[in-house]
C-alpha cells in the first residue's frame, strides 16, 4: 500500500467518487472536471482503502447501493475512524430517489449532504466548492480559538468520562433530590459544525473547540453540580436543587453561548449546540425514575436536536414537536437570554452569587432569599 505524502498533494481540490456504475461515475466526472481533481472507486471497500492512503482527498461522493461495502457501511467506517482527517471528511450521498426514509437514514449515518443523480452541473459544483472549503474553514475556526486556549492554559481539558462514572455521581445526587423533595436535572449538550447550505448532518468540531467548550462549562456550573465529557463532542451536566424554569434557562444560555462562540467572520459556517433535558419535573417526583433513564432521555433529545440542526433546548415539549414535524425555532426575542422572562434562581444559586460577590444579581431576589433562609434563622435564634 503506497501512502501519498504532502508533496503529492494536487493543485485542485481532490474528490473521491465511489459508485459501482461506470456511467454514473463518468457523469459526475463530466460535471466536475476542470475545477476538481478526482479519484474513482468501484465499491465502498475500495473507497475506504483509497481514503487510507490518500490524505489529499477533500470530499467523498458515494452511492448508497454498492457491492462489498455499501454507502451506509462506508459512512459508518468513516465516522468511526480513529484517524481524524477521515472521521471529519465531508461525505456527499448520491441517491436515485427522494424518499424521506432513505435520506433520513443517510443523515443519521453521518452524511454531510445529499444530492440526487439528476443534479445539474452548476448546483453540484457550488455544493462541492462549499464542501472542499469546509476543512479549511474548520482549520480557520481552530486557529481563531488559539488565543482562548492560551488564556485558559491552566484549565485542563475535560477527559472523556465513562457513562458508568457519570451515572454513579448522578445516582447519588438523585437520591439526595428525592430525600429533600427537590428537582433533579440531567443536561446533555451535543455540539456540531454546520454549513447552512448543506442538508446533511453536522460535522465534529476541531479538538481545540471541544476543549474550549469544556473549559467554559467547567467555569459555568456551580460547585455542587457535575460536568463531564461523555463522547467526542458531547457533554453531560448533572444538577440538583434547581427548579425547572431555571434549568431550562441555564440550558438555553449554555447552547446560545456555545453557538455564539463562532469566530469565523462572514461565513455560513456555524456551531450547533443542542441541549437535551431529562428532569424529574416531567415525572412529578416519581421515585421509580432512575438516573440512567433521565440520562438516556437527555441524550436522545440532544441527538434529535442535532439531527434537526436545533441550537437550543430540547425538552419534553420540543421533542413532541420534532416528532410531529410541528417544531418551530424560538423567535429571537423569545430565545435570547436578555429578553427572556427571568426565572427565579434557587437558593443554592443565590448563595453562590453572594459568595462570588455578585450583589447586583442577588438584590432582585432578596425577598425570595429571606423567605428561604427564615427557617434557618429561626432555628439559630431558638438554639441561642
Amino acid at each position: 500500500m503506497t501512502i501519498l505524502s504532502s508533496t503529492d498533494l494536487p493543485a485542485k481540490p481532490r474528490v473521491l467518487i465511489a459508485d459501482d456504475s461506470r456511467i454514473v461515475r463518468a457523469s459526475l466526472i463530466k460535471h466536475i472536471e476542470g475545477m476538481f481533481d478526482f479519484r474513482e472507486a468501484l465499491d465502498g471497500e475500495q473507497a475506504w482503502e483509497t481514503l487510507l492512503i490518500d490524505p489529499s482527498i477533500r470530499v467523498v461522493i458515494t452511492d448508497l447501493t454498492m457491492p462489498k461495502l455499501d454507502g451506509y457501511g462506508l459512512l459508518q467506517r468513516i465516522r468511526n475512524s480513529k484517524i481524524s482527517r477521515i472521521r471529519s471528511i465531508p461525505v456527499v450521498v448520491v441517491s436515485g430517489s427522494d424518499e424521506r426514509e432513505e435520506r433520513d437514514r443517510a443523515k443519521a449515518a453521518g452524511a454531510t449532504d445529499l444530492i440526487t443523480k439528476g443534479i445539474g452541473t452548476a448546483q453540484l459544483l457550488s455544493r462541492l466548492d462549499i464542501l472542499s472549503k469546509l476543512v479549511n474553514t474548520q482549520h480557520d475556526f481552530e486557529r481563531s480559538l488559539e488565543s482562548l486556549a492560551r488564556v485558559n492554559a491552566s484549565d485542563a481539558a475535560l477527559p472523556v468520562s465513562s457513562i458508568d462514572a457519570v451515572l454513579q455521581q448522578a445516582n447519588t445526587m438523585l437520591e439526595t433530590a428525592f430525600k429533600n423533595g427537590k428537582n433533579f436535572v440531567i443536561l446533555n449538550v451535543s455540539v456540531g459544525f454546520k454549513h447552512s447550505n448543506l442538508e446533511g448532518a453536522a460535522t465534529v468540531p476541531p479538538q481545540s473547540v471541544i476543549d474550549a467548550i469544556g473549559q467554559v462549562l467547567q467555569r459555568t456550573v456551580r460547585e455542587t453540580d457535575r460536568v463531564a465529557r461523555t463522547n467526542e463532542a458531547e457533554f453531560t451536566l448533572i444538577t440538583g436543587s434547581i427548579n425547572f424554569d431555571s434549568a431550562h434557562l441555564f440550558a438555553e444560555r449554555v447552547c446560545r453561548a456555545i453557538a455564539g462562540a463562532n469566530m469565523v467572520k462572514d461565513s455560513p459556517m456555524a456551531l450547533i449546540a443542542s441541549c437535551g433535558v431529562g428532569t424529574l419535573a416531567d415525572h412529578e417526583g416519581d421515585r421509580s425514575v432512575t438516573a440512567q433513564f433521565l440520562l438516556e432521555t437527555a441524550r436522545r433529545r440532544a441527538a434529535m436536536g442535532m439531527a434537526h440542526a436545533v441550537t437550543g433546548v430540547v425538552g419534553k415539549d420540543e421533542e413532541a414537536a420534532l416528532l410531529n414535524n410541528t417544531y418551530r425555532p424560538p423567535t429571537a426575542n423569545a430565545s435570547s437570554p436578555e429578553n427572556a422572562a427571568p426565572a427565579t434562581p434557587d437558593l443554592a444559586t443565590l448563595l453562590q452569587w453572594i459568595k462570588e460577590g455578585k450583589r447586583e444579581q442577588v438584590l432582585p431576589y432578596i425577598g425570595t432569599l429571606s423567605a428561604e433562609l427564615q427557617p434557618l434563622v429561626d432555628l439559630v435564634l431558638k438554639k441561642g
Side-chain angles (χ1 to χ4, degrees), residues 1 12 16 23 31 76 92 100 152 170 185 207 274 297 342 371:
M1 179 182 293
K12 302 173 188 175
L16 172 62
I23 295 175
H31 282 310
Q76 185 178 24
V92 180
R100 179 171 177 175
N152 299 307
V185 180
Q207 185 62 51
S274 289
T297 299

Side-chain angles (χ1 to χ4, degrees), residues 23 45 63 77 126 159 167 178 223 237 241 253 285 334 337 349:
I23 295 175
E45 195 68 51
D63 188 22
R77 282 196 192 179
S126 174
L167 283 175
F178 279 136
E223 290 183 4
L237 287 78
S241 300
R253 283 176 173 166
T349 300

Side-chain angles (χ1 to χ4, degrees), residues 18-20 62-67 69-73 75 93-97 102-103 105-106 109 111 114 117:
D19 198 304
D20 59 325
T62 181
D63 188 22
L64 288 174
T65 55
M66 296 182 292
L69 183 69
D70 65 11
Y72 298 114
L75 265 168
V93 165
V94 182
S95 173
S97 72
E102 184 177 88
R103 300 175 76 82
R105 184 183 173 193
L114 301 101
K117 291 186 177 179

